[in-house]
Amino acid sequence: METSLEEMEASLKYLISKHNIDDKSTKLNIKENKTGKLLSVKLPDIPLPQFSGKYEEFGNFKSQFISLIEENDGLSNTQKLYYLKSSLTGKAKLIKTTDDTYKSLLKALEDRYEKKRAVVGSQILSLINLEKLNYESAEDLRKLLDTVKKNLRMLKTLEYDRNNLSDVLIVNLILQKLDKETRKQFEITLKSKEVPDLDNFLTFLENRSLVLEYVNKNVPSKSFSKDQLYQKGFSSSDKQKTKYHHYAKPNKSFVVGREDKMKQCLLCI
């Protein structure tokens, strides 16, 4: 009896262990199949980053190029040099080196464009020279917002964080660039004499652009009355020619000119 119990216990342990192995094998096969499917999906080619010679764009260009090209062990230095030259446009393309190698060209670009002072200066000038909005426009307001956020983000990466003084200056710079109606609507939202908060101000402008976009999409097309359509269809010279039209007799075409050169008025046909 004890022997049969031991055999049954051994058999159960064997079946349980086999089940666990089969279960792990199944999970492994599923994982491999999923991985195979992911690898079999053809992703679109990643285009080379482009650099035209703007100081504020060099940092982003360099990090992308290093990730895609420099850290690729399957490329030779000659290939890396080719790709680097292909990525340069505008003023950046004019930079040359004496030995014409990948390392020397990248070093020349770093020496030219990795100038913190120049990058910070370009961001500040971009904020000062924001384009003036002369009328309500969702598109123009969105462009202004994008420019401001881009400049603030770049200054932050250069370790120039915002503070109370910079926020006040930026708010007032932007206010000078807004159209009258948008500035009026913002002033209405202020319920105290406190200085406006920059984040709240930017949120207001974001919401304002959405409202303008929605309103413009739902404005009905302009309609004209019959008199307006009549006037719209004739030029000033045509109006001058037909100003005597009310003298026409009933049921007869009005004639213009001498009797020997009779012409029918086109309005009476």
Side-chain angles (χ1 to χ4, degrees):
M1 185 70 177
E2 291 180 359
T3 305
S4 61
L5 289 175
E6 290 176 357
E7 290 177 353
M8 288 178 64
E9 184 180 358
S11 299
L12 287 172
K13 287 182 179 180
Y14 172 74
L15 290 173
I16 291 171
S17 61
K18 184 179 180 183
H19 174 74
N20 291 336
I21 292 172
D22 291 341
D23 187 56
K24 289 180 182 179
S25 178
T26 303
K27 290 181 179 179
L28 183 60
N29 289 334
I30 292 173
K31 186 175 180 181
E32 289 177 349
N33 289 336
K34 288 183 178 179
T35 305
K37 288 180 180 179
L38 289 175
L39 293 175
S40 64
V41 176
K42 181 173 176 57
L43 298 174
D45 295 333
I46 301 175
L48 284 174
Q50 300 292 304
F51 178 62
S52 62
K54 295 181 179 179
Y55 288 98
E56 63 271 20
E57 296 177 356
F58 182 72
N60 188 41
F61 163 76
K62 180 182 173 183
S63 62
Q64 289 183 7
F65 190 86
I66 288 176
S67 298
L68 292 173
I69 304 301
E70 182 168 319
E71 295 179 353
N72 189 336
D73 297 331
L75 297 175
S76 65
N77 285 332
T78 302
Q79 291 172 316
K80 292 176 182 179
L81 175 63
Y82 171 80
Y83 287 126
L84 181 55
K85 288 182 176 181
S86 300
S87 298
L88 302 179
T89 62
K91 295 180 180 179
K93 197 175 184 67
L94 302 177
I95 295 181
K96 305 294 180 183
T97 58
T98 54
D99 49 357
D100 196 30
T101 62
Y102 168 72
K103 291 291 184 182
S104 64
L105 181 55
L106 183 61
K107 181 66 166 55
L109 289 169
E110 291 172 342
D111 293 341
R112 174 73 62 86
Y113 294 106
E114 276 190 340
K115 295 181 178 180
K116 192 173 183 179
R117 178 183 174 185
V119 177
V120 172
S122 67
Q123 300 306 306
I124 298 298
L125 285 176
S126 180
L127 286 171
I128 294 174
N129 297 325
L130 288 170
E131 188 175 352
K132 171 74 175 175
L133 307 184
N134 296 316
Y135 55 89
E136 296 175 287
S137 169
E139 182 180 356
D140 293 342
L141 187 56
R142 191 67 55 80
K143 287 180 180 178
L144 182 144
L145 268 172
D146 291 342
T147 301
V148 171
K149 291 179 179 180
K150 177 184 175 183
N151 292 332
L152 294 178
R153 184 169 59 250
M154 179 62 69
L155 289 170
K156 185 176 181 179
T157 60
L158 296 171
E159 300 179 351
Y160 283 87
D161 293 326
R162 290 164 41 191
N163 55 40
N164 292 337
L165 177 59
S166 67
D167 283 4
V168 171
L169 292 173
I170 294 169
V171 167
N172 283 274
L173 280 173
I174 299 174
L175 280 172
Q176 301 304 316
K177 304 298 182 178
L178 298 179
D179 60 274
K180 291 183 179 180
E181 185 60 27
T182 299
R183 182 165 183 175
K184 174 185 173 182
Q185 294 298 325
F186 176 67
E187 295 292 343
I188 292 174
T189 64
L190 301 179
K191 298 180 181 180
S192 66
K193 296 181 180 180
E194 294 182 3
V195 177
D197 177 74
L198 177 58
D199 290 322
N200 292 338
F201 182 43
L202 295 178
T203 300
F204 164 81
L205 294 179
E206 186 72 36
N207 293 334
R208 174 74 173 166
S209 67
L210 294 174
V211 170
L212 291 175
E213 184 177 5
Y214 176 79
V215 170
N216 290 336
K217 284 183 178 179
N218 291 275
V219 172
S221 59
K222 188 175 180 181
S223 58
F224 298 93
S225 65
K226 291 183 178 180
D227 292 337
Q228 287 176 316
L229 288 171
Y230 173 81
Q231 296 294 332
K232 196 174 182 65
F234 292 93
S235 63
S236 58
S237 60
D238 292 330
K239 294 175 185 177
Q240 184 67 25
K241 291 177 182 178
T242 60
K243 68 179 181 178
Y244 298 110
H245 177 33
H246 61 280
Y247 290 112
K249 294 180 180 181
N251 302 322
K252 291 185 178 180
S253 297
F254 176 62
V255 293
V256 180
R258 296 179 303 175
E259 293 183 359
D260 57 338
K261 293 183 178 180
M262 306 293 282
K263 293 182 180 180
Q264 279 189 323
C265 175
L266 295 177
L267 297 174
C268 303
I269 295 175

